[in-house]
Amino acid sequence: MLQTDFIEINGLSYHIQHNIIDDNLPTIVFLHDSLGSVKLWRDFPENLGNITNCNVLMYDREGHGNSSPFSITERPVNYLELGADVISQLINKLNLKKVILFGHSDGATIALHYAAKYPENILATIVEGVHVFVEEETLQGIREAKQALETTNLIERVSKYHDDKTEMLFKMWMETWLNPNYRNWNIEKNIQNIQSPVLIFQGENDEFGTMKQVEKIKANVKSKVIDYLISDCGHNPHKEQKEFTLEKTNQFIRAYAL
């Protein structure tokens, strides 16, 4: 049964949902995507927690879901690395000692940053739709989302998850990635410090990235890396190919983190 709490970090309120069944068991920490939230994970975290017999923790990042609105009006280039620092504070406040990260898109990049900067309590790192450098495919996907924002009811559909924070959330996402100053963003050197095993899911039809992201990770991470290119799948393997993602994640966790 998931419990809801709010934790203060750096003067901001962070909404979390968790099911800590045993302090001695690993906790899978879920890190959502650029427009994501706790609610948008749906039942995937609970399903994964049940089949792995692990604790589960989700949270809304600043400006998302039920957490505090953005305290800034423009993101720095290293905003994803700063997100890993927030995760570190959250994990420390909750006194989690055995952590498995499961990150999607922006959350996947934050997971890699965390695994590289704070390796001491990471058992495994799982990512889907991850980015470690800027691809033209990513930018084109964001341009298309921007057009949809202007021509459809996308704002209305997303606002049920973020309320009055929605417009700023879109602004932060689009203006950051489409800013020319962001074009050279690259974390290949950062991830060389990762020590935990890494599992990667990449949708063959991902509208925001390609297998080049996976190849860069495999070229730079020195620990065990397992990857799956999933056919008939876009940017959201945990939704579009849920059973496959659950099965392979369960196998990975049991082999490398339990």
Side-chain angles (χ1 to χ4, degrees):
M1 187 74 168
L2 288 172
Q3 297 182 351
T4 296
D5 285 303
F6 290 86
I7 292 182
E8 183 173 318
I9 298 174
N10 300 329
L12 300 176
S13 175
Y14 286 86
H15 168 239
I16 68 171
Q17 282 194 346
H18 58 92
N19 181 21
I20 308 298
I21 55 179
D22 187 336
D23 290 339
N24 295 314
L25 294 174
T27 300
I28 308 173
V29 179
F30 291 85
L31 294 79
H32 62 69
D33 61 305
S34 55
L35 300 177
S37 69
V38 164
K39 287 182 181 178
L40 279 164
W41 281 111
R42 299 175 185 167
D43 62 354
F44 184 86
E46 285 186 278
N47 290 164
L48 186 58
N50 288 337
I51 64 175
T52 58
N53 194 37
C54 288
N55 303 316
V56 167
L57 171 69
M58 297 171 279
Y59 77 107
D60 291 324
R61 292 200 299 276
E62 175 186 354
H64 296 251
N66 292 321
S67 290
S68 292
F70 284 108
S71 58
I72 55 176
T73 57
E74 183 177 345
R75 278 173 166 163
V77 171
N78 68 334
Y79 80 98
L80 295 169
E81 182 177 358
L82 296 177
D85 297 335
V86 172
I87 280 288
S88 176
Q89 294 181 65
L90 177 62
I91 287 173
N92 289 339
K93 282 202 169 192
L94 294 173
N95 198 32
L96 303 180
K97 301 300 184 184
K98 301 176 181 179
V99 175
I100 299 167
L101 299 176
F102 191 113
H104 176 219
S105 195
D106 267 17
T109 304
I110 293 172
L112 292 182
H113 269 302
Y114 184 93
K117 292 186 72 173
Y118 305 99
E120 55 275 1
N121 59 358
I122 294 294
L123 300 178
T125 306
I126 303 155
V127 296
E128 55 175 0
V130 66
H131 301 102
V132 295
F133 70 101
V134 179
E135 282 187 284
E136 178 55 35
E137 287 82 355
T138 309
L139 301 181
Q140 184 56 34
I142 295 173
R143 294 186 194 106
E144 291 174 6
K146 185 176 182 181
Q147 184 177 10
L149 190 67
E150 297 166 351
T151 59
T152 70
N153 67 338
L154 183 58
I155 278 278
E156 181 183 342
R157 286 187 281 122
V158 175
S159 65
K160 64 184 177 180
Y161 301 105
H162 307 288
D163 297 324
D164 57 0
K165 298 186 283 289
T166 305
E167 288 191 22
M168 178 58 76
L169 183 57
F170 272 105
K171 175 181 181 294
M172 287 289 201
W173 177 48
M174 294 175 175
E175 290 187 0
T176 301
W177 281 82
L178 297 178
N179 188 325
N181 293 331
Y182 201 72
R183 194 64 180 85
N184 294 322
W185 171 82
N186 186 303
I187 66 165
E188 290 176 56
K189 289 185 178 179
N190 303 63
I191 63 177
Q192 292 176 4
N193 295 320
I194 291 176
Q195 300 175 20
S196 64
V198 178
L199 174 63
I200 310 171
F201 295 105
Q202 177 65 38
E204 190 172 26
N205 304 319
D206 190 338
E207 60 273 37
F208 293 105
T210 73
M211 276 295 289
K212 292 178 183 177
Q213 302 287 343
V214 179
E215 292 164 5
K216 293 295 186 182
I217 295 172
K218 292 171 72 175
N220 286 280
V221 173
K222 299 174 178 61
S223 58
K224 179 72 174 181
V225 178
I226 297 173
D227 65 284
Y228 294 100
L229 177 63
I230 310 175
S231 60
D232 194 25
C233 183
H235 192 55
N236 298 277
H238 73 279
K239 292 179 181 178
E240 299 171 56
Q241 295 290 345
K242 178 181 175 182
E243 294 307 318
F244 178 87
T245 306
L246 282 172
E247 176 189 354
K248 296 304 180 184
T249 303
N250 180 38
Q251 291 175 2
F252 177 78
I253 288 174
R254 291 189 178 280
Y256 298 102
L258 294 181

